[in-house]
């Protein structure tokens, strides 16, 4: 198994006695997700399996089980707040998600992006095989400039939705062959695509043109993040658009050229901190090699973004 903070874990209720199966499942779900109430039609026997992939930033769980209902009540939210989001979709069977007086019926090819910070009910039958990805709240609330649940259905059968679906399935299939930087990098791109997918219908103006500008800008920033001279003006000159066009395209997904550049540089630093080939680089080396003007500026921004210092993240990865 790859070293570092990336871990793959498997839980099977068949490995414990019949009377202990629901207890095991409830304990694992509570640990992997958050505190919930559970309704088991057959409490004496419960068949289920879940495969968990996780790093310090993201988690993906693929599971199948007997019929069950999960409930997150206002009381549980007060006792154990959790503002983070989940991408949820079935590979087979059907999921029913109810949140904010709206019910979404999810069948294969449909997904939902919803928050654990609001009450919900989730139920499915015994034929269900599903995927649920944990996404930090700041990845959704800030970029989309909203805090309301997004429990509406997402079409995963075409366009960006189909790309997300394909990447998520591949992420599970290749779970034993990934490193921490690789897992986080793939999850970063999935979240980026989800943001585009979730706000695509809200774009004013010519959607195709804005999407094209935004996609080109993101690729350019990703490829040139380590350049200390990268700025909105330099991007505009290189791509042949006006600065105003770039600002408008990024504004509709809740970011700015400066914020996007900083975000990509921080992701670059994180990948290098977790990379075994970069252990010879000091924190100052990493800062300058990733486009930051100083180690202190990088460390401050890094701690604000990931909740730990660069040194602490490097220590965790060893």
């Amino acid at each position: 198994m790859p070293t570092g903070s990336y871990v793959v874990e498997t839980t099977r209720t068949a490995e414990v006695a019949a009377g202990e199966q629901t207890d095991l499942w409830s304990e694992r779900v509570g640990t992997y997700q958050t505190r919930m109430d559970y309704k088991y039609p057959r409490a004496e026997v419960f068949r289920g399996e879940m495969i968990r992939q996780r790093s310090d930033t993201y988690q993906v769980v693929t599971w199948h089980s007997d019929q069950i209902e999960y409930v997150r009540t206002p009381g549980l939210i007060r006792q154990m707040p959790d503002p983070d989001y989940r991408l949820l979709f079935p590979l087979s069977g059907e999921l029913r998600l109810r949140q904010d007086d709206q019910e979404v019926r999810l069948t294969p090819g449909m997904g939902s992006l919803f928050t654990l910070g609001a009450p919900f009910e989730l139920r499915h039958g015994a034929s269900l095989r599903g995927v649920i990805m944990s996404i930090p709240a700041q990845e959704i609330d800030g970029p989309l400039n909203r805090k309301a649940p997004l429990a509406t259905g997402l079409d995963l059968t075409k366009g960006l939705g189909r790309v997300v679906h394909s990447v998520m399935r591949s992420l599970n299939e290749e779970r034993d062959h990934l490193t921490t930087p690789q897992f986080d990098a793939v999850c970063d791109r999935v979240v980026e695509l989800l943001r585009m997918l979730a706000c695509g219908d809200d774009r004013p103006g010519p959607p195709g043109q804005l999407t094209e500008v935004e996609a080109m800008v993101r690729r350019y920033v990703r490829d040139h993040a380590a350049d200390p001279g990268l700025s909105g003006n330099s991007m505009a000159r290189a791509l042949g658009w006006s600065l105003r066009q770039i600002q408008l395209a990024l504004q509709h997904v809740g970011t700015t050229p400066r914020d996007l550049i900083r975000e990509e540089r921080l992701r670059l630093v994180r990948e290098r901190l977790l990379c075994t080939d970069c252990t010879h680089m000091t924190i100052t080396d990493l800062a300058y090699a990733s486009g930051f003007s100083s180690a202190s500026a990088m460390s401050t921004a890094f701690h604000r973004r990931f909740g730990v210092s660069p040194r602490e993240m490097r220590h965790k990865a060893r």
Side-chain angles (χ1 to χ4, degrees):
M1 183 180 297
T3 59
S5 63
Y6 174 66
V7 176
V8 178
E9 303 168 328
T10 300
T11 297
R12 299 182 181 90
T13 61
E15 296 177 354
V16 300
E20 301 173 358
Q21 292 171 342
T22 56
D23 290 338
L24 173 63
W25 195 260
S26 299
E27 186 274 328
R28 285 292 191 273
V29 172
T31 300
Y32 294 172
Q33 306 298 337
T34 190
R35 187 174 175 186
M36 289 184 276
D37 289 333
Y38 310 91
K39 297 180 180 178
Y40 296 95
R42 298 178 59 211
E44 67 280 4
V45 177
F46 184 79
R47 296 168 298 179
E49 176 182 290
M50 63 178 80
I51 300 173
R52 181 197 198 194
Q53 300 167 252
R54 69 168 178 86
S55 68
D56 290 339
T57 306
Y58 295 107
Q59 173 182 273
V60 176
V61 175
T62 303
W63 90 100
H64 63 84
S65 77
D66 287 342
Q67 181 178 342
I68 188 173
E69 181 174 354
Y70 304 92
V71 181
R72 179 104 161 123
T73 64
L76 290 177
I77 292 173
R78 288 192 296 271
Q79 294 174 24
M80 188 171 292
D82 188 337
D84 289 345
Y85 285 81
R86 297 295 188 272
L87 167 65
L88 174 71
F89 62 90
L91 297 172
S92 62
E94 178 181 292
L95 285 159
R96 288 182 179 268
L97 171 66
R98 185 172 183 81
Q99 188 172 61
D100 277 4
D101 296 324
Q102 292 184 334
E103 183 168 286
V104 181
R105 175 176 169 267
L106 302 177
T107 55
M110 293 292 294
S112 181
L113 186 62
F114 71 103
T115 177
L116 297 188
F120 68 83
E121 299 172 6
L122 175 66
R123 61 186 184 277
H124 66 75
S127 61
L128 187 282
R129 183 167 178 259
V131 178
I132 185 165
M133 176 184 183
S134 304
I135 304 172
Q138 66 267 22
E139 297 282 358
I140 302 298
D141 287 338
L144 291 186
N145 194 28
R146 68 178 86 184
K147 289 184 178 296
L150 300 170
T152 54
L154 299 174
D155 186 352
L156 304 180
T157 64
K158 62 178 183 289
L160 288 179
R162 185 173 181 178
V163 174
V164 169
H165 190 270
S166 176
V167 171
M168 291 297 296
R169 294 198 67 162
S170 297
L171 196 62
N172 173 257
E173 291 166 0
E174 299 300 319
R175 60 185 177 272
D176 294 323
H177 307 288
L178 298 173
T179 64
T180 302
Q182 291 168 349
F183 177 74
D184 282 340
V186 173
C187 290
D188 283 342
R189 302 309 169 227
V190 168
V191 173
E192 182 179 309
L193 293 173
L194 282 172
R195 291 196 295 253
M196 296 173 66
L197 186 64
C199 67
D201 293 337
D202 299 331
R203 298 171 187 262
Q209 182 182 354
L210 290 176
T211 301
E212 178 188 356
V213 173
E214 179 198 344
M216 289 291 289
V217 168
R218 287 186 180 277
R219 283 197 295 269
Y220 188 85
V221 171
R222 193 173 304 140
D223 292 341
H224 297 83
D227 179 0
L230 182 63
S231 66
N233 284 316
S234 69
M235 278 192 289
R237 288 193 300 269
L239 294 171
W241 288 307
S242 69
L243 177 59
R244 179 57 183 158
Q245 280 180 296
I246 291 175
Q247 290 172 331
L248 184 62
L250 294 180
Q251 176 184 333
H252 291 307
V253 291
T255 190
T256 65
R258 177 179 294 182
D259 289 344
L260 181 61
I261 291 168
R262 182 179 62 246
E263 180 72 9
E264 285 300 328
R265 286 174 175 168
L266 289 173
R267 293 190 194 281
L268 183 57
V269 171
R270 184 182 67 183
E271 289 175 7
R272 289 172 169 172
L273 286 169
L274 299 174
C275 176
T276 55
D277 293 335
C278 297
T279 54
H280 65 285
M281 299 178 71
T282 66
I283 299 300
T284 300
D285 291 337
L286 284 173
Y288 289 127
S290 305
F292 285 94
S293 59
S294 69
S296 61
M298 182 270 285
S299 295
T300 299
F302 192 93
H303 191 279
R304 186 180 300 119
R305 173 66 177 81
F306 297 112
V308 295
S309 71
R311 295 185 189 281
E312 289 171 332
M313 180 163 285
R314 171 171 275 178
H315 178 72
K316 286 183 178 181
R318 291 178 178 174

